[in-house]
Amino acid sequence: MFSTMQDGSLTIARILEQGSGPHGASAQVITWTGEGSRRRTYADVGRRAAQLAHALRGLGVTGDQRVGTFMWNNAEHLEAYLAVPAMGAVLHTLNIRLFPEQLVYVVNHAEDEVVVVDTTLLPLFGKLLPELKTVRHVVVAGGGAAGLEAPQGVQVHDYEELLAAQPIEFDWPELDERSAAAMCYTSGTTANPKGVVYSHRSIYLHSMQVCMTDGMALSQADRALAVVPMFHAMSWGLPYAAFMVGASIVMPDRFLQPGPLVEMTAAERPTMAAAVPTIWQGVLQHLATDPHDVSSLREVVVGGAACPPSLMRTFEEEYGIPVLHAWGMTETSPLGSVARPPAGATGEQLWKYRASQGRLPAGVRGRLVGDDGQVLPWDGESVGELEVRGPWIAAAYYGDDDPEKFHDGWLRTGDVGHISPEGFLQLTDRAKDVIKSGGEWISSVDLENKVMGHPAVAEAMVIGVPDEKWSERPLVAVVLRDGQQADAAELRDFLADSVAKWQLPEYWTFIAEAPKTSVGKFDKKRLRKQHADGGLDVTRLD
Amino acid sequence: MFSTMQDGSLTIARILEQGSGPHGASAQVITWTGEGSRRRTYADVGRRAAQLAHALRGLGVTGDQRVGTFMWNNAEHLEAYLAVPAMGAVLHTLNIRLFPEQLVYVVNHAEDEVVVVDTTLLPLFGKLLPELKTVRHVVVAGGGAAGLEAPQGVQVHDYEELLAAQPIEFDWPELDERSAAAMCYTSGTTANPKGVVYSHRSIYLHSMQVCMTDGMALSQADRALAVVPMFHAMSWGLPYAAFMVGASIVMPDRFLQPGPLVEMTAAERPTMAAAVPTIWQGVLQHLATDPHDVSSLREVVVGGAACPPSLMRTFEEEYGIPVLHAWGMTETSPLGSVARPPAGATGEQLWKYRASQGRLPAGVRGRLVGDDGQVLPWDGESVGELEVRGPWIAAAYYGDDDPEKFHDGWLRTGDVGHISPEGFLQLTDRAKDVIKSGGEWISSVDLENKVMGHPAVAEAMVIGVPDEKWSERPLVAVVLRDGQQADAAELRDFLADSVAKWQLPEYWTFIAEAPKTSVGKFDKKRLRKQHADGGLDVTRLD
């Protein structure tokens, strides 16, 4: 028996029509210029998206060809977000922060035919261009293309000139909702970046989730400040969600430093904002010495990395702004979970909920899988790798089989933690960093935080090292504070109060400096290599 | 190019798992008993839904067979809502208020194999049973089956006994999201009722819409009082939406009178509630003489008929409860539009937005179609019939072609009105009641309300009557208040200030009593017949 309901394709064109139609006059994209803002109504964005689509057709973009963007968060990037998928092509947002060789790889791998580039990013893009094998057209937005040397066979266009003569309506094609709409590569640290190809369906459903009251609660009444880059997991879905419900959106362009962020908040009065913890840390530090009115913010969304509880408390207690902790990744569109406490939670219990990664919504099924593949209970204690599935979760990478990451319809997130009976996810480690000791898992992050609680310790890194009896045991590498002293036995005694006995590390080493990655995270791969090469002087306690 | 995303079927089983899993301990279905409440956690509902599914399998329910419900809003009805579609069968909610011959028609038309019946409804159901051709099993919930005489070949079961020995887990099958989940017949006044068959997909998407901040904003923190019956357009989607996000739900069972509604509100402190205007009118009248604490309500949803602005104002001004005006119909799942004013609207402008039928969300595309089939602009003035399409809009009736109602992928709603450039829908009439005068449409409802503004007039009905020059012109049938006098010329003069000259009616008649339907609405069909039969004494003004 079939239902008598319409199919009602879930497509970007529908989002485009809704934002530019009924919300066309009231909603705006507001782009920061460094000194103030430029504004464009969603009706104008809709007209210009139609012009862009005509222009791209004119450049020969047909079918599902890829159109790259090498852009900051701004109005023109929003136009490309809407026009490219709605016309049936595929938007490829290029992460300007990848290493040049990775950028070249992803453009060639996705076979981008056209790239839209911000004029301010031309110095960076120009260096890549000679290596890009499939790019036929470069469209420069926001100013001239001065200084760009185009290789043979590549044409350079000015965005505004290209749009100027085009019709302001476009007959958006009917598309299969499962067809490709946009793609985004994750920045692998060990291998080549991997591409995730979002469908119209996945983006549409994800946008609804962003606007659900238990999601980010985005509504027509909002003005969203999208600090998280549009080349980073689709700016967490804000541009599409805002267009779907007619929320205005504030775009910082290239002004991502705390000073301008605070200034644009005071000037444009966004009601919500989304960014990684380090951005918010900088904003708080800036506000402490250079006060601005940020009272328009009803909520601030933090994700991309675990948010320090102190950051959440400062926002709430000093500025009256609740922080919504969210978890997700490029492969999850990215909204996986948000930490809205259950009704009625108060006090420290409330903070515990809010510091967790939150609850997975109906659209994201989750399970914890232990070391030997068994599915673990949601008891708030059993620790395993989180696996997820659902209509906005990736099933594969583009043209790059990775059976390690996907199995039985589940995505292995690489995140390790536990889930409470009421569904609150608490991540404790990355799977590759967890220590697998006698069938039990020990969180390296948890041990690090506890060792760093000792007054003599500046930094502590924990890795798993081979152990005959337990298969793996934790090794703690300690950087002492200048002029402070502590030995392994003292530090272990210090842990005894807060760490289960079987988790207490027996391997200790003292190092002058912690190896770190280019973005300042502990480089455990390097520490492991030092250990394997015999470069560490390790003490073993009994 | 295909996306790399998972399909992630949108099914009722997912809603069931989400509500009974992470929200299982905290969310409850609370059923009013007349003297208090009985409570059941969603975890229990989930276990009992599994038991019900096993029991139905045991009765031979396989594939997409139909399981009818003849029930009030209560915990057992919620269990059937979840179990029947999740197991792959089709839930058929029977409107207990249809005429007996209509009920017999719909059960036979849908070919229901099993019907679950509330014990309190057995007297009504028992009369139908001998006429039901496909029903093999009757399951009686909430008490014994005393007094029910089962025809040959029909078995009667006790709901609790049937569930008792069943396993509390069920391996819910993987279903195509486009397969049938539930059906509901609309009560046609002129022809047989028509069946709408909702899919898993349409119900899932509709549930998300109910939980969107610009929808009904239902969230985990809510306790929804579902006054609108579960046999009436799926209780406006509240049961599924509540289960999807873990909101608790308060069910009034058969206690739909203002007294018990007020009592259960004071006792169970729901945060939102949904019902037709007449229910709320009764509640307000009751509260005026028998005050209760209803302050727990953050919002009240009104739909099913246009809500008098006075009702909205009383709720808000006397009780501090905003009323959310909503529009929809069985064929639209039913959430079509809700009247959330744009951010920043104030004063009378705000009230104008709130009194409208509101905005269609991204999931519901709308257009206005004029008399000769042309699509009209959204200018807030052009009046036409509203047509809609989208993923939770019906494409057809079940086993009953009705090309009049569906064309080119659009549903003709039968509602007539205008839409403002910002998308606010203002309905003015039913299509069959609108007066088509010289290519322009005149709202019968609008004229009625204006004539009833005259102090001598008790009631006024307006119908279109044939006119040689204009094709149709309005005829006003007036019931004067006892002891009051007014003639046609005086009444027309009274309208002249507020009605465009070309709309001023020339045909008038005075009647002793307005013909009404069984539910107290003006029966215009009967008035038209009286006019056609020459039974009205009509005055024609020049």
Side-chain angles (χ1 to χ4, degrees), chain B residues 160-176:
Chain B
E160 295 301 329
E161 284 174 18
L162 204 60
L163 264 60
Q166 303 293 346
I168 58 170
E169 290 193 350
F170 192 97
D171 188 15
W172 306 111
E174 293 286 329
L175 299 169
D176 180 343

PDB file of all heavy atoms in Angstrom, chain B residues 160-176:
ATOM      1  N   GLU B 160      -5.202  -5.462  27.463  1.00  0.00           N
ATOM      2  CA  GLU B 160      -4.164  -5.786  28.443  1.00  0.00           C
ATOM      3  C   GLU B 160      -3.832  -7.277  28.441  1.00  0.00           C
ATOM      4  O   GLU B 160      -2.664  -7.657  28.542  1.00  0.00           O
ATOM      5  CB  GLU B 160      -4.585  -5.347  29.849  1.00  0.00           C
ATOM      6  CG  GLU B 160      -4.735  -3.835  30.011  1.00  0.00           C
ATOM      7  CD  GLU B 160      -3.451  -3.066  29.698  1.00  0.00           C
ATOM      8  OE1 GLU B 160      -2.339  -3.593  29.915  1.00  0.00           O
ATOM      9  OE2 GLU B 160      -3.559  -1.913  29.202  1.00  0.00           O
ATOM     10  N   GLU B 161      -4.838  -8.106  28.319  1.00  0.00           N
ATOM     11  CA  GLU B 161      -4.584  -9.550  28.278  1.00  0.00           C
ATOM     12  C   GLU B 161      -3.779  -9.932  27.043  1.00  0.00           C
ATOM     13  O   GLU B 161      -2.899 -10.783  27.083  1.00  0.00           O
ATOM     14  CB  GLU B 161      -5.897 -10.327  28.281  1.00  0.00           C
ATOM     15  CG  GLU B 161      -6.556 -10.371  29.646  1.00  0.00           C
ATOM     16  CD  GLU B 161      -7.932 -11.013  29.592  1.00  0.00           C
ATOM     17  OE1 GLU B 161      -8.229 -11.722  28.608  1.00  0.00           O
ATOM     18  OE2 GLU B 161      -8.717 -10.774  30.528  1.00  0.00           O
ATOM     19  N   LEU B 162      -4.095  -9.257  25.955  1.00  0.00           N
ATOM     20  CA  LEU B 162      -3.415  -9.550  24.694  1.00  0.00           C
ATOM     21  C   LEU B 162      -1.934  -9.186  24.779  1.00  0.00           C
ATOM     22  O   LEU B 162      -1.066  -9.885  24.242  1.00  0.00           O
ATOM     23  CB  LEU B 162      -4.090  -8.726  23.591  1.00  0.00           C
ATOM     24  CG  LEU B 162      -3.993  -9.221  22.150  1.00  0.00           C
ATOM     25  CD1 LEU B 162      -4.611 -10.605  22.008  1.00  0.00           C
ATOM     26  CD2 LEU B 162      -4.704  -8.243  21.220  1.00  0.00           C
ATOM     27  N   LEU B 163      -1.640  -8.066  25.480  1.00  0.00           N
ATOM     28  CA  LEU B 163      -0.257  -7.605  25.562  1.00  0.00           C
ATOM     29  C   LEU B 163       0.555  -8.393  26.589  1.00  0.00           C
ATOM     30  O   LEU B 163       1.770  -8.569  26.430  1.00  0.00           O
ATOM     31  CB  LEU B 163      -0.208  -6.117  25.947  1.00  0.00           C
ATOM     32  CG  LEU B 163      -0.087  -5.101  24.802  1.00  0.00           C
ATOM     33  CD1 LEU B 163      -1.280  -5.238  23.858  1.00  0.00           C
ATOM     34  CD2 LEU B 163       0.033  -3.682  25.334  1.00  0.00           C
ATOM     35  N   ALA B 164      -0.132  -8.852  27.649  1.00  0.00           N
ATOM     36  CA  ALA B 164       0.553  -9.297  28.860  1.00  0.00           C
ATOM     37  C   ALA B 164       1.725 -10.247  28.620  1.00  0.00           C
ATOM     38  O   ALA B 164       2.807 -10.046  29.163  1.00  0.00           O
ATOM     39  CB  ALA B 164      -0.460  -9.930  29.811  1.00  0.00           C
ATOM     40  N   ALA B 165       1.511 -11.278  27.806  1.00  0.00           N
ATOM     41  CA  ALA B 165       2.540 -12.316  27.694  1.00  0.00           C
ATOM     42  C   ALA B 165       3.545 -12.044  26.576  1.00  0.00           C
ATOM     43  O   ALA B 165       4.427 -12.866  26.325  1.00  0.00           O
ATOM     44  CB  ALA B 165       1.861 -13.664  27.462  1.00  0.00           C
ATOM     45  N   GLN B 166       3.422 -10.896  25.922  1.00  0.00           N
ATOM     46  CA  GLN B 166       4.268 -10.647  24.741  1.00  0.00           C
ATOM     47  C   GLN B 166       5.655 -10.131  25.131  1.00  0.00           C
ATOM     48  O   GLN B 166       5.817  -9.472  26.162  1.00  0.00           O
ATOM     49  CB  GLN B 166       3.594  -9.619  23.831  1.00  0.00           C
ATOM     50  CG  GLN B 166       2.192 -10.008  23.380  1.00  0.00           C
ATOM     51  CD  GLN B 166       2.180 -11.220  22.460  1.00  0.00           C
ATOM     52  OE1 GLN B 166       3.219 -11.614  21.944  1.00  0.00           O
ATOM     53  NE2 GLN B 166       1.012 -11.808  22.284  1.00  0.00           N
ATOM     54  N   PRO B 167       6.647 -10.384  24.284  1.00  0.00           N
ATOM     55  CA  PRO B 167       7.998  -9.845  24.528  1.00  0.00           C
ATOM     56  C   PRO B 167       7.981  -8.310  24.488  1.00  0.00           C
ATOM     57  O   PRO B 167       7.184  -7.713  23.758  1.00  0.00           O
ATOM     58  CB  PRO B 167       8.827 -10.392  23.359  1.00  0.00           C
ATOM     59  CG  PRO B 167       8.015 -11.484  22.743  1.00  0.00           C
ATOM     60  CD  PRO B 167       6.587 -11.194  23.053  1.00  0.00           C
ATOM     61  N   ILE B 168       8.878  -7.687  25.235  1.00  0.00           N
ATOM     62  CA  ILE B 168       8.889  -6.219  25.320  1.00  0.00           C
ATOM     63  C   ILE B 168       9.850  -5.572  24.336  1.00  0.00           C
ATOM     64  O   ILE B 168      10.105  -4.373  24.405  1.00  0.00           O
ATOM     65  CB  ILE B 168       9.196  -5.743  26.758  1.00  0.00           C
ATOM     66  CG1 ILE B 168      10.548  -6.304  27.217  1.00  0.00           C
ATOM     67  CG2 ILE B 168       8.077  -6.158  27.710  1.00  0.00           C
ATOM     68  CD1 ILE B 168      11.032  -5.686  28.511  1.00  0.00           C
ATOM     69  N   GLU B 169      10.375  -6.387  23.437  1.00  0.00           N
ATOM     70  CA  GLU B 169      11.165  -5.804  22.342  1.00  0.00           C
ATOM     71  C   GLU B 169      10.648  -6.355  21.034  1.00  0.00           C
ATOM     72  O   GLU B 169      10.146  -7.480  20.978  1.00  0.00           O
ATOM     73  CB  GLU B 169      12.650  -6.148  22.505  1.00  0.00           C
ATOM     74  CG  GLU B 169      13.260  -5.425  23.679  1.00  0.00           C
ATOM     75  CD  GLU B 169      14.784  -5.487  23.686  1.00  0.00           C
ATOM     76  OE1 GLU B 169      15.345  -6.244  22.876  1.00  0.00           O
ATOM     77  OE2 GLU B 169      15.380  -4.796  24.518  1.00  0.00           O
ATOM     78  N   PHE B 170      10.766  -5.548  19.986  1.00  0.00           N
ATOM     79  CA  PHE B 170      10.295  -5.966  18.666  1.00  0.00           C
ATOM     80  C   PHE B 170      11.358  -5.536  17.671  1.00  0.00           C
ATOM     81  O   PHE B 170      11.895  -4.434  17.767  1.00  0.00           O
ATOM     82  CB  PHE B 170       8.959  -5.280  18.349  1.00  0.00           C
ATOM     83  CG  PHE B 170       8.239  -5.847  17.143  1.00  0.00           C
ATOM     84  CD1 PHE B 170       7.236  -6.793  17.293  1.00  0.00           C
ATOM     85  CD2 PHE B 170       8.560  -5.430  15.853  1.00  0.00           C
ATOM     86  CE1 PHE B 170       6.560  -7.309  16.190  1.00  0.00           C
ATOM     87  CE2 PHE B 170       7.893  -5.950  14.742  1.00  0.00           C
ATOM     88  CZ  PHE B 170       6.894  -6.887  14.909  1.00  0.00           C
ATOM     89  N   ASP B 171      11.650  -6.432  16.745  1.00  0.00           N
ATOM     90  CA  ASP B 171      12.659  -6.101  15.747  1.00  0.00           C
ATOM     91  C   ASP B 171      11.973  -5.353  14.609  1.00  0.00           C
ATOM     92  O   ASP B 171      11.541  -5.948  13.627  1.00  0.00           O
ATOM     93  CB  ASP B 171      13.297  -7.408  15.252  1.00  0.00           C
ATOM     94  CG  ASP B 171      14.502  -7.143  14.358  1.00  0.00           C
ATOM     95  OD1 ASP B 171      14.994  -5.997  14.357  1.00  0.00           O
ATOM     96  OD2 ASP B 171      14.915  -8.079  13.664  1.00  0.00           O
ATOM     97  N   TRP B 172      11.834  -4.044  14.781  1.00  0.00           N
ATOM     98  CA  TRP B 172      11.088  -3.234  13.805  1.00  0.00           C
ATOM     99  C   TRP B 172      11.710  -3.383  12.416  1.00  0.00           C
ATOM    100  O   TRP B 172      12.918  -3.255  12.265  1.00  0.00           O
ATOM    101  CB  TRP B 172      11.090  -1.766  14.235  1.00  0.00           C
ATOM    102  CG  TRP B 172      10.582  -1.557  15.629  1.00  0.00           C
ATOM    103  CD1 TRP B 172      11.304  -1.165  16.707  1.00  0.00           C
ATOM    104  CD2 TRP B 172       9.233  -1.754  16.103  1.00  0.00           C
ATOM    105  NE1 TRP B 172      10.507  -1.108  17.828  1.00  0.00           N
ATOM    106  CE2 TRP B 172       9.230  -1.459  17.488  1.00  0.00           C
ATOM    107  CE3 TRP B 172       8.037  -2.147  15.497  1.00  0.00           C
ATOM    108  CZ2 TRP B 172       8.078  -1.541  18.272  1.00  0.00           C
ATOM    109  CZ3 TRP B 172       6.897  -2.233  16.279  1.00  0.00           C
ATOM    110  CH2 TRP B 172       6.921  -1.933  17.648  1.00  0.00           C
ATOM    111  N   PRO B 173      10.908  -3.674  11.413  1.00  0.00           N
ATOM    112  CA  PRO B 173      11.465  -3.896  10.068  1.00  0.00           C
ATOM    113  C   PRO B 173      11.984  -2.604   9.444  1.00  0.00           C
ATOM    114  O   PRO B 173      11.540  -1.511   9.788  1.00  0.00           O
ATOM    115  CB  PRO B 173      10.267  -4.432   9.283  1.00  0.00           C
ATOM    116  CG  PRO B 173       9.064  -3.871   9.981  1.00  0.00           C
ATOM    117  CD  PRO B 173       9.438  -3.796  11.440  1.00  0.00           C
ATOM    118  N   GLU B 174      12.944  -2.751   8.537  1.00  0.00           N
ATOM    119  CA  GLU B 174      13.386  -1.605   7.732  1.00  0.00           C
ATOM    120  C   GLU B 174      12.308  -1.344   6.680  1.00  0.00           C
ATOM    121  O   GLU B 174      11.931  -2.245   5.935  1.00  0.00           O
ATOM    122  CB  GLU B 174      14.701  -1.930   7.017  1.00  0.00           C
ATOM    123  CG  GLU B 174      15.895  -2.116   7.933  1.00  0.00           C
ATOM    124  CD  GLU B 174      16.410  -0.804   8.512  1.00  0.00           C
ATOM    125  OE1 GLU B 174      16.289   0.239   7.839  1.00  0.00           O
ATOM    126  OE2 GLU B 174      16.913  -0.819   9.648  1.00  0.00           O
ATOM    127  N   LEU B 175      11.798  -0.141   6.633  1.00  0.00           N
ATOM    128  CA  LEU B 175      10.699   0.161   5.705  1.00  0.00           C
ATOM    129  C   LEU B 175      11.107   1.267   4.733  1.00  0.00           C
ATOM    130  O   LEU B 175      11.917   2.129   5.073  1.00  0.00           O
ATOM    131  CB  LEU B 175       9.471   0.630   6.483  1.00  0.00           C
ATOM    132  CG  LEU B 175       8.862  -0.369   7.480  1.00  0.00           C
ATOM    133  CD1 LEU B 175       7.844   0.330   8.354  1.00  0.00           C
ATOM    134  CD2 LEU B 175       8.216  -1.521   6.723  1.00  0.00           C
ATOM    135  N   ASP B 176      10.525   1.220   3.555  1.00  0.00           N
ATOM    136  CA  ASP B 176      10.649   2.334   2.617  1.00  0.00           C
ATOM    137  C   ASP B 176       9.929   3.533   3.218  1.00  0.00           C
ATOM    138  O   ASP B 176       8.759   3.434   3.603  1.00  0.00           O
ATOM    139  CB  ASP B 176       9.990   1.917   1.294  1.00  0.00           C
ATOM    140  CG  ASP B 176      10.060   3.004   0.229  1.00  0.00           C
ATOM    141  OD1 ASP B 176      10.324   4.178   0.580  1.00  0.00           O
ATOM    142  OD2 ASP B 176       9.862   2.677  -0.949  1.00  0.00           O
TER     143      ASP B 176
END
